Amino acid sequence: MSIPKFSHLLFFFFVTSLFYSSSLAEIRSSEVRSDDRPIIPFDEFGFTHRGRLELNVSKISLGVPSNPSSLDLSKVGFFLCTRDTWMHVLEQIEDAEITCAIQSDIVKLVYTFDKLHDNSSLDTLFVETDSDQYSLVFANCCPQLKVSMTVRSAMYNLDAKSGNRDYLSAGKAILPRIYFVFSLVYFCLCIFWIFLLFKKRLTIHAIHFFMLAVIILKALNLLCEAEDKSYIKRTGSAHGWDVLFYIFSFLKGIMLFTLIVLIGTGWSFLKPYLQDKEKKVLMIVIPLQVVANIAQVVIDEDGPYGDEWVTWKQVFLLVDVICCCAVLFPIVWSIKNLREAAKSDGKAAVNLMKLTLFRQYYVVVICYIYFTRVVVYALETITSYRYLWTSVVAGEVATLAFYLFTGFKFRPEVHNPYFMIDDEEEEAASEALKFGDEFEL
């Protein structure tokens, strides 16, 4: 294998895996079985100047190639590096300065297997004093050498005052408080919505109880995530809170997409039933949400070292995009039906108001999907590792704004908002509808 091709292969394994990395960085145990990949990334973590890495590797087994005399175990081991450092390592390989990434003098060498001396395990503590975002990487630059091992890694920062361990990355140490504050906001919204439903109990629809369920699940989801991150921050383990988080995340995801579909169809507001094509959308969205949540669990729990990790990440992204596109169809159908009804049933102003509302909702749903799927991810990518929490805040603020807009526009009223039209508005709307091109999508 030529040097340029080898560097390209290293670049593929390293960048592809870490591009999707979730950077949870709690205590993680990983199993590697008969793996001959030249690069295996394990985790990514933002260190302060008081960073620590505890690395425990057991059950080490090396599948020795046919010519064991050529085996150089100094080219097999663990190291830490930043993404900028990795680019310089690739340049060194292409310029033939080195033949293996672990030989570079710009990476932080943690342990090489030539120090094993026939042992099948290793324990080492690495002290990191340079604050930056580092990746723990295993390098195997011996062709045909297959490695099996069980890796337990714990990366954390020491608090400058108390000396306590913080297992959350430097840019995510504040996340427990952020999630807890947002959970309190949603619990307050739940109380307000219950009060509103009681006050307008004569005019509420079934969809309003569905909205309440979504808000409650969102609040519980954030509360469990706050506890999950809090336990990881202090102990490196979620202590079961991750299970509750996944349960409420699963229920919230299904309920939210179902709510968007139901509002888009006008169910409970405009009609008490769903058409066959609208039911088919739900039959597509709900199973896909099940697949998306299974993929999310695999992504979070396994980490980027596994062969199937990238595949599950791609499945999650694909399913999420399909769900986001599917929920738009009922809104488009409702807009089309309202346009046709506005020209035929004589209730121009009423249908014009409905049409305006559904158009607004269509635009808001698109903006919500675009912001939470694209803008938030871009913000996470370009933001310094010290401020990764800002992308979480941006996503939660956008979600809260979407919930508030939906609740305000479809809130229960004494008079149905669709029919608060006087005669002058009816006449004006009838004149406006004569110019149908003005209302094209």
Side-chain angles (χ1 to χ4, degrees):
M1 180 183 294
S2 65
I3 291 177
K5 289 183 179 180
F6 182 68
S7 66
H8 292 159
L9 183 61
L10 293 179
F11 180 81
F12 173 78
F13 279 112
F14 184 79
V15 176
T16 301
S17 296
L18 294 184
F19 183 76
Y20 295 111
S21 178
S22 58
S23 302
L24 290 177
E26 69 271 20
I27 298 175
R28 190 184 294 277
S29 296
S30 311
E31 290 188 0
V32 178
R33 292 291 175 260
S34 299
D35 202 324
D36 60 354
R37 285 180 290 172
I39 289 294
I40 304 178
F42 281 91
D43 224 332
E44 193 173 27
F45 191 78
F47 285 110
T48 64
H49 64 283
R50 295 170 60 87
R52 301 290 188 273
L53 163 63
E54 291 182 1
L55 183 63
N56 311 104
V57 185
S58 60
K59 301 179 181 179
I60 300 175
S61 175
L62 304 178
V64 181
S66 55
N67 185 13
S69 60
S70 62
L71 188 64
D72 185 2
L73 291 181
S74 66
K75 296 181 179 180
V76 182
F78 294 88
F79 65 90
L80 291 172
C81 73
T82 64
R83 297 190 184 187
D84 291 337
T85 299
W86 183 251
M87 299 304 298
H88 291 299
V89 170
L90 292 181
E91 293 177 0
Q92 290 179 327
I93 295 176
E94 291 181 351
D95 294 339
E97 297 178 16
I98 57 175
T99 59
C100 179
I102 207 169
Q103 295 175 326
S104 175
D105 57 355
I106 59 176
V107 301
K108 307 271 187 165
L109 192 62
V110 177
Y111 196 93
T112 54
F113 276 20
D114 59 330
K115 301 176 183 178
L116 284 175
H117 303 301
D118 297 327
N119 293 325
S120 61
S121 63
L122 67 91
D123 296 283
T124 184
L125 173 65
F126 186 84
V127 178
E128 181 55 66
T129 57
D130 297 326
S131 59
D132 208 332
Q133 187 167 8
Y134 290 90
S135 300
L136 175 62
V137 183
F138 176 77
N140 177 10
C141 297
C142 295
Q144 300 179 349
L145 176 65
K146 294 185 177 181
V147 180
S148 298
M149 58 185 172
T150 299
V151 180
R152 179 186 180 275
S153 61
M155 290 188 279
Y156 55 88
N157 295 307
L158 295 178
D159 186 84
K161 296 181 179 179
S162 64
N164 294 332
R165 297 182 178 187
D166 185 349
Y167 288 93
L168 286 179
S169 182
K172 297 189 175 183
I174 197 176
L175 285 184
R177 281 179 283 176
I178 292 176
Y179 286 127
F180 182 71
V181 169
F182 274 104
S183 70
L184 291 180
V185 172
Y186 279 99
F187 278 121
C188 291
L189 284 179
C190 291
I191 295 173
F192 175 77
W193 193 253
I194 292 173
F195 169 76
L196 186 63
L197 294 184
F198 179 78
K199 185 178 179 181
K200 303 293 182 73
R201 56 187 178 277
L202 298 179
T203 57
I204 59 177
H205 297 271
I207 195 72
H208 294 126
F209 292 104
F210 209 100
M211 294 178 181
L212 176 62
V214 171
I215 299 175
I216 292 174
L217 288 173
K218 177 64 176 178
L220 292 173
N221 175 246
L222 286 171
L223 180 62
C224 291
E225 190 160 11
E227 288 298 317
D228 175 61
K229 293 295 186 290
S230 178
Y231 271 94
I232 291 176
K233 178 183 176 70
R234 290 180 281 119
T235 68
S237 175
H239 292 276
W241 282 101
D242 53 341
V243 177
L244 291 175
F245 164 71
Y246 290 132
I247 291 174
F248 286 118
S249 180
F250 167 71
L251 295 175
K252 183 263 300 180
I254 289 180
M255 293 287 281
L256 177 60
F257 277 97
T258 303
L259 177 64
I260 295 174
V261 171
L262 293 178
I263 291 178
T265 62
W267 176 79
S268 182
F269 279 103
L270 306 181
K271 57 187 179 183
Y273 60 89
L274 294 176
Q275 297 177 352
D276 289 339
K277 60 181 180 180
E278 295 165 348
K279 293 178 182 178
K280 291 179 181 178
V281 172
L282 285 176
M283 293 175 63
I284 293 174
V285 169
I286 293 177
L288 286 178
Q289 277 297 297
V290 175
V291 175
N293 280 273
I294 293 174
Q296 187 64 60
V297 173
V298 175
I299 292 168
D300 290 345
E301 296 301 318
D302 282 359
Y305 70 90
D307 293 333
E308 299 181 356
W309 188 87
V310 174
T311 301
W312 278 106
K313 186 66 179 180
Q314 293 171 342
V315 168
F316 173 76
L317 294 175
L318 176 62
V319 168
D320 194 49
V321 169
I322 294 175
C323 288
C324 292
C325 294
V327 298
L328 296 176
F329 283 103
I331 306 177
V332 174
W333 294 334
S334 294
I335 293 174
K336 181 180 178 181
N337 293 336
L338 289 171
R339 286 182 60 251
E340 294 175 352
K343 297 177 181 179
S344 60
D345 64 3
K347 298 180 180 179
V350 172
N351 288 302
L352 178 59
M353 189 174 183
K354 297 176 185 177
L355 183 60
T356 302
L357 178 60
F358 273 87
R359 278 180 173 168
Q360 290 176 350
Y361 192 64
Y362 176 76
V363 172
V364 169
V365 170
I366 290 181
C367 291
Y368 168 70
I369 292 173
Y370 177 79
F371 190 90
T372 55
R373 268 65 179 178
V374 178
V375 176
V376 170
Y377 177 76
L379 183 63
E380 183 178 357
T381 303
I382 64 176
T383 303
S384 169
Y385 78 97
R386 297 183 183 90
Y387 305 104
L388 287 177
W389 57 269
T390 57
S391 61
V392 175
V393 172
E396 292 300 333
V397 169
T399 302
L400 179 61
F402 176 71
Y403 279 40
L404 291 174
F405 175 86
T406 303
F408 177 76
K409 287 296 184 179
F410 298 95
R411 67 192 185 279
E413 290 286 353
V414 175
H415 300 288
N416 191 311
Y418 297 125
F419 299 98
M420 295 173 62
I421 307 294
D422 56 28
D423 294 338
E424 292 182 0
E425 290 175 323
E426 180 71 36
E427 183 178 352
S430 298
E431 292 295 329
L433 285 172
K434 293 180 181 179
F435 305 93
D437 293 339
E438 189 177 323
F439 301 104
E440 292 294 329
L441 288 174

